[in-house]
Amino acid sequence: MTTVNGNGDGRSGFGLPRTERYPASADSSDAQRLAVLADDATIDLAAEREASGIDSVLSALDTSLIGLDPVKTRIREIAALLLVDQARSRFGLAAARPSLHMCFTGNPGTGKTTVALRMAELLHRMGYLRRGHVVAVTRDDLVGQYVGHTAPKTREVLKRAMGGVLFIDEAYYLYRAENERDYGQESIEILLQAMENDRSDLVVILAGYADRMDSFFASNPGMSSRVAHHLEFGDYSLDELVAIGSLMLGRQRYRLSADAEIVFRDYLSRRRQAPRFANARSVRNALERARLRHANRLLSASGCRWGRDDLMRLEPADFLASRVFAGGPPARSQSAPG
C-alpha cells in the first residue's frame, strides 16, 4: 500500500475547517464568507473560482497529461458543480453534498493514478477534503488470508484514507464468486458502509479494466449505486504517445536526434500492436532503456570527450533491436527500440 500527495494539515485552502469553508475573494473576512447573502445580492463566480485555486490544479492536469480530453472535461464539470453548490450555500440554498465516489476504467498507463492525485488536490482546495492525500491500494492491502484478518486490514486502510482519496486499483479482484471461502466480500461490505457513512470525509475511486469493472458492479449493486462518476480513460494515439515521450524526455533534460525521432516513432507504432502494451508506461520503459544504452555508449567510447549536448541527446544506437520488430529494423537505422 502506498500513500501519496498528502499534506496532512487537515485544513482547507483558506485555513478554515472543511465544513465552514466557502470560496471568497482574497480581501473578504471570515465573517463575510460565512454570512448568508440577501436574496437580492449577487455573486461573482469568476472571483469565487479564482479564490478557490482550482485553475492551478486544472492547468497542472493539462500540462502533466497528454490527451484525455473527455476525462479533463468531466473533471471541469465536477469542479463547476461544486463551485456553484458553494455559491448556492451563500444564499442559504444548501443542498445535500453530491456523491464524489468515482470509477476510472481503462488500460494500464492511461493516467488513472495521476488523475486521482489531481482530483484529490482539487477537492482539498475546494474544501471537500480536509487533507487531500491519496492512499493507493490493491486487494492484498484490504483482504486477509484467514478468518478475522480482513476487517482489521480494511479498517486500517480506511483510517489512513480519511480526509482524502482511497484509490483501489483492479478493484474487481475484491470479488471472487468462484471461491466461496474468499474474504473479499467482507472487505466490500466494510467499504460500502464507509462510502455511505463517511462520504463527507472520504472519496473512493475504483479503477480497472472496463469489462471487468462492469462485471464487478453487476455482482455488487450496492457498490454501483454509490459510484456517481464513471470516467473512461482511452488508449493514447500514436501522436499522443510520441508527445508523451517528448514530455518525459524534456523533464529529464534529454532529447532525441532527428534520426532517433524516426526510430522511436516507428517503435511505438509497432509496440502498440504487441501484447502487454501499457501506453505511457511502455513509453517510459522504452526511454529508460534508451538512457541506459546512452550512458553505456558514452562510457564505452574510450578517448572521447563529451559536451553538454552529447549528454542530452539520444541517438538511434541507444534504441536496440526488439522482439517487437518482427519484420526487421526501420530502414533509416540498424537498430530499433527495445
Side-chain angles (χ1 to χ4, degrees):
M1 178 176 62
T2 57
T3 304
V4 287
N5 204 40
N7 54 25
D9 61 5
R11 311 291 286 182
S12 75
F14 290 99
L16 294 172
R18 178 186 55 79
T19 55
E20 298 178 0
R21 190 257 194 203
Y22 294 91
S25 57
D27 58 354
S28 298
S29 68
D30 288 351
Q32 288 174 323
R33 298 181 200 181
L34 297 175
V36 176
L37 298 174
D39 291 346
D40 59 349
T42 60
I43 191 167
D44 186 343
L45 284 177
E48 299 290 307
R49 175 171 180 158
E50 182 179 358
S52 71
I54 63 175
D55 282 335
S56 63
V57 180
L58 296 175
S59 177
L61 187 65
D62 283 332
T63 57
S64 63
L65 283 176
I66 301 295
L68 297 179
D69 290 340
V71 171
K72 294 174 181 177
T73 297
R74 186 60 177 274
I75 292 173
R76 290 188 181 94
E77 291 172 347
I78 294 172
L81 170 64
L82 299 181
L83 192 63
V84 169
D85 269 4
Q86 290 182 329
R88 283 169 49 86
S89 70
R90 300 285 303 279
F91 288 92
L93 302 173
R97 176 188 170 105
S99 174
L100 296 172
H101 302 311
M102 304 177 189
C103 177
F104 292 176
T105 56
N107 290 325
T110 49
K112 296 185 291 294
T113 303
T114 299
V115 171
L117 289 168
R118 296 301 180 190
M119 181 57 69
E121 183 181 0
L122 179 73
L123 295 176
H124 173 58
R125 292 205 179 198
M126 299 189 71
Y128 283 86
L129 290 176
R130 57 187 169 85
R131 295 179 60 192
H133 65 306
V134 174
V135 175
V137 300
T138 62
R139 172 191 164 90
D140 289 344
D141 299 301
L142 297 166
V143 181
Q145 298 179 347
Y146 52 85
V147 175
H149 192 204
T150 294
K153 289 187 72 171
T154 301
R155 291 192 176 104
E156 176 60 26
V157 167
L158 287 168
K159 180 180 178 181
R160 297 186 183 189
M162 286 298 168
V165 168
L166 175 59
F167 182 84
I168 307 177
D169 199 14
E170 298 182 313
Y172 35 75
Y173 285 130
L174 290 175
Y175 181 74
R176 292 179 175 174
E178 71 280 2
N179 187 351
E180 295 181 356
R181 301 184 62 183
D182 184 70
Y183 303 117
Q185 187 60 43
E186 182 180 2
S187 180
I188 291 173
E189 291 171 0
I190 296 172
L191 288 170
L192 287 173
Q193 185 178 25
M195 290 169 71
E196 184 64 29
N197 297 342
D198 299 308
R199 60 179 181 168
S200 64
D201 199 35
L202 175 71
V203 170
V204 175
I205 298 179
L206 309 173
Y209 292 108
D211 56 344
R212 297 186 184 181
M213 288 306 302
D214 287 342
S215 298
F216 174 73
F217 286 132
S219 302
N220 296 274
M223 186 70 76
S224 177
S225 67
R226 286 168 173 78
V227 175
H229 306 283
H230 293 258
L231 281 70
E232 182 177 352
F233 291 67
D235 289 335
Y236 293 108
S237 68
L238 178 58
D239 287 340
E240 288 172 339
L241 291 170
V242 171
I244 289 170
S246 178
L247 185 64
M248 291 178 176
L249 287 172
R251 288 171 177 168
Q252 299 183 71
R253 307 299 297 277
Y254 281 89
R255 70 176 184 86
L256 299 176
S257 70
D259 285 342
E261 287 180 3
I262 297 173
V263 171
F264 185 55
R265 185 180 183 88
D266 190 70
Y267 164 74
L268 291 176
S269 178
R270 297 171 185 251
R271 183 66 182 89
R272 291 175 71 216
Q273 311 304 320
R276 298 181 298 279
F277 177 65
N279 288 280
R281 293 181 194 172
S282 291
V283 174
R284 181 187 62 206
N285 292 339
L287 293 177
E288 285 300 309
R289 290 193 294 269
R291 289 180 59 211
L292 290 172
R293 293 160 186 158
H294 167 261
N296 186 63
R297 173 171 60 84
L298 297 187
L299 286 176
S300 298
S302 59
C304 293
R305 297 179 64 84
W306 305 109
R308 184 175 187 271
D309 188 61
D310 298 308
L311 296 173
M312 297 174 62
R313 189 181 65 254
L314 300 179
E315 296 287 357
D318 303 323
F319 295 88
L320 304 180
S322 168
R323 287 173 295 180
V324 172
F325 286 82
R332 293 198 53 175
S333 173
Q334 296 302 309
S335 57

